[in-house]
Amino acid sequence: MHKAFLQNNDIKSIKSRLSHLLLHKLDLYLSDVQLSLDSVLDKRLVRTFYDLIVAILLHRHNSMGLLLSELGGYICGFAHAPAGTKRISNLLRSKKWTSTIIDNFLFNQTRKRLESLVKQGKRPLMLWDDSRLEKAESWFLEGLCSVESS
C-alpha cells in the first residue's frame, strides 16, 4: 500500500510530501520493534506488522472501527483483500512472538522520552486515564455511589 505511494514521484503536492515525511518518521519510530520482531519472526510477517500499523494510522476513525477484511484490503489492495487478511491473521496467531515485545518497546520509548525531558530541564507529567465504572463497594469511594468517569 504505502510502497506504491512512495514510488509515485510525479505527485509533488504538499500533502504527498507530508505523508512521505510521516511514513519516514514512522519507520524510524518502529525500527526498534521491527528489529525485535525480526529476530523471532519471518521477515514477511514483520513487513505485515509495519503495513498493518500504517493502515491503522491512515484509516482509523473515532466513530467507526476497522474490520480485519478492510485492513487486509488496505495492505494488499482491495483486489487481493483476502490475501491481506490472511497475512494479518498469520501475524496475529503466530506463536513465535508475544505482546511483551510490544510492551517492552513502548516502555523503552517512554523511558527515553522521560530522560530527554529531564535533560532539557522540563518536568515530565503523566496523565492517568481512569475511565471506567467504579464499584460502589470500592474502599476508595467509601460513602459515595458508583460513578462513571469520562
Side-chain angles (χ1 to χ4, degrees):
M1 170 202 57
H2 64 281
K3 288 182 264 181
F5 170 76
L6 291 175
Q7 293 170 356
N8 191 358
N9 292 327
D10 59 338
I11 300 174
K12 299 294 182 194
S13 70
I14 293 173
K15 196 173 191 179
S16 68
R17 283 183 276 157
L18 289 176
S19 298
H20 191 280
L21 178 67
L22 176 69
L23 286 175
H24 178 69
K25 288 199 175 265
L26 182 65
D27 195 33
L28 290 175
Y29 181 77
L30 291 177
S31 63
D32 291 341
V33 74
Q34 283 179 305
L35 287 174
S36 298
L37 289 173
D38 206 22
S39 66
V40 294
L41 287 176
D42 184 66
K43 68 179 179 178
R44 293 173 293 181
L45 290 178
V46 176
R47 191 71 193 166
T48 300
F49 171 79
Y50 180 78
D51 291 344
L52 180 62
I53 298 295
V54 170
I56 289 171
L57 285 176
L58 292 178
H59 302 286
R60 73 178 179 88
H61 193 275
N62 290 343
S63 63
M64 295 173 16
L66 284 170
L67 298 174
L68 189 62
S69 57
E70 283 180 309
L71 287 171
Y74 291 133
I75 287 176
C76 289
F78 287 102
H80 304 286
T85 303
K86 184 160 181 152
R87 285 184 187 181
I88 296 170
S89 176
N90 289 341
L91 170 68
L92 294 177
R93 59 186 169 81
S94 174
K95 296 188 186 300
K96 294 182 179 181
W97 72 287
T98 63
S99 62
T100 56
I101 293 174
I102 308 295
D103 289 341
N104 291 338
F105 165 72
L106 292 174
F107 181 78
N108 288 332
Q109 289 295 103
T110 303
R111 186 180 42 78
K112 288 178 188 176
R113 178 69 177 146
L114 288 173
E115 288 172 357
S116 73
L117 287 173
V118 169
K119 283 182 184 177
Q120 295 173 12
K122 295 182 180 177
R123 182 179 178 197
L125 297 175
M126 312 261 302
L127 297 177
W128 183 284
D129 181 19
D130 199 18
S131 55
R132 68 179 191 278
L133 187 65
E134 297 286 345
K135 293 188 267 181
E137 60 271 6
S138 173
W139 68 271
F140 202 55
L141 297 173
E142 196 170 306
L144 299 175
C145 63
S146 62
V147 4
E148 186 174 343
S149 304
S150 61

